Amino acid sequence: MARDGFTTSFGVIAATLGSAVGLGNIWKFPYLTGANGGAGFLLVYVLATLAVGLPVMISEIAIGRAARADAVSAFARLAPPRQPWWLIGAMGVVAAVLIMAFYSAVAGWVFAYVLKSLAGGALSTDPKVTSAAFGALVADPLQALAWQWLVLAFVGTIILMGVAKGIEAVTKRLMPVLFLLLVLLGVRSLTLPGAGEGLAFLFRPEFSRITPGVVLVAVGLAFFKLSIGMGTMVTYGSYFRADQNIPATAARVMLADLAVSMLAGIAIFPAVFAFGFKPEAGPSLVFITVPAVFASMPAGALFMTAFFVLTAVAATGAMLSIVEVPVAVLSERMGFTRRAATVITLVVIALLGVLPALSQGVAARWKLGGMNAFDLCDSLSSNVLLPIGGILVCVFTGWIWGRDRVAAELSNRGALASGGVVRALRFLVRWVSPVLIVAVMLRGFGIA
Ligand code: PHE
């Protein structure tokens, strides 16, 4: 059977961008930036995206397209005999399940906020009111779980109905609307009295706050944001067209993704300071701050509804790409039907996701090493599995796969003049990126 693939260049970019842009931009980036001291964190995150994120992203897409297979089979196919590089793909399957366990919970909050905004709820400039509205949602175990399961059922339905590509095309068309809405939100936020303090927080680094732990979280965010280190880009790369310019596509997606995050930051931090929220509020930050900005503009309830609908769309595009890693491995490599693969994957996620979904409420006090289930799934994936996956992808591309084969893939078998790109990429993945990640992880975990 011929493998399915993206048929147009538009489809390629739609899907790749749809995977990268998601809750990472709107929810995780602001909350981590707030919790880790602001501008210094942002600076490290941007540097990590350029020095580590982009090279790994290009490598993964190239690996996927060269092998035209799921994440486990791709490495198995390209590696020399009897070398277990397929383990990168297997780790990716684990990471995908861990990420979905908390991502689907947050997506559930977003879906719930669509309803809340329609009903005009949570719309207030008073931190107490918006915090209470969020608290009531996440502290109620029934609501938290029901929304998470609704999200998983929604994702499953999209895959089983075979309309995932249609959703990606819709996502791509709606992305500019989200972008515009963020611009609008940013303008309102910037014109609030006291907004300057938020801008300074976001753009004036205090270098003393950049600790090894902060650097590790910033690098982890760079991986999470670009959907790399776990085989998503390998899997999506396997659907790329043969004539797609991989480095140019990756660079564009990376820039667009950074732009969305920056806009989200500009929309949120001035308001955080203007209204007296706490930047280190944690995972609730977006949910309590954004309603305050909307409350201070005309037709706020309408705009807020649009905002959460568009965020839900972006989150769905990202979730489709996370789930695609295990689904492709189960169906292509292990012989399950796509239907069975989807159901198995989503049921495992739903079971594992119970604890993270409840961890902002009833299970908040169940901790391991000082972290609740939510933080554990998050930090185990972003700060451990994805960076290790990234190191291995670099080593594989730089030292194992072979110079000529890397060059052939990146130049579309010689159709593109990409000598400089290949040299730069090889230099980075051989000498720079893996060394940086190892150093950051050792220092971040206090090992060296
Ligand atoms: N990049 C997505 C986001 O920012 C999350 C994601 C992580 C998607 C890993 C795929 C793989 O929301």
Side-chain angles (χ1 to χ4, degrees), residues 391-404:
I391 296 168
L392 295 175
V393 166
C394 289
V395 173
F396 181 81
T397 309
W399 299 94
I400 307 290
W401 193 11
R403 201 207 130 86
D404 294 343

Side-chain angles (χ1 to χ4, degrees), residues 19-25 99 103 223-228 230 232 257 314 318-319 321-322 386:
S19 169
V21 174
L23 295 174
N25 310 67
I99 291 178
Y103 204 95
F223 277 93
F224 183 87
K225 269 312 315 121
L226 294 178
S227 314
I228 53 177
M230 55 167 272
T232 292
D257 180 66
M319 287 190 286
S321 77
I322 305 175
L386 302 189

Side-chain angles (χ1 to χ4, degrees), residues 356-377:
L358 299 183
S359 69
Q360 312 294 314
V362 287
R365 269 173 296 149
W366 302 355
K367 289 190 172 166
L368 205 71
M371 284 188 268
N372 63 30
F374 187 99
D375 298 332
L376 216 57
C377 287

Side-chain angles (χ1 to χ4, degrees), residues 56-57 62 68-69 94 98 123 138 216-218 231 240 267 278 313 332 338 352 366 369 393:
V56 172
M57 187 175 181
R68 294 251 179 248
V94 176
L98 278 177
L123 203 62
V138 296
L216 176 62
V217 175
F240 262 49
K278 290 193 179 55
V313 171
E332 284 188 36
R338 250 187 99 79
L352 191 77
W366 302 355
V393 166

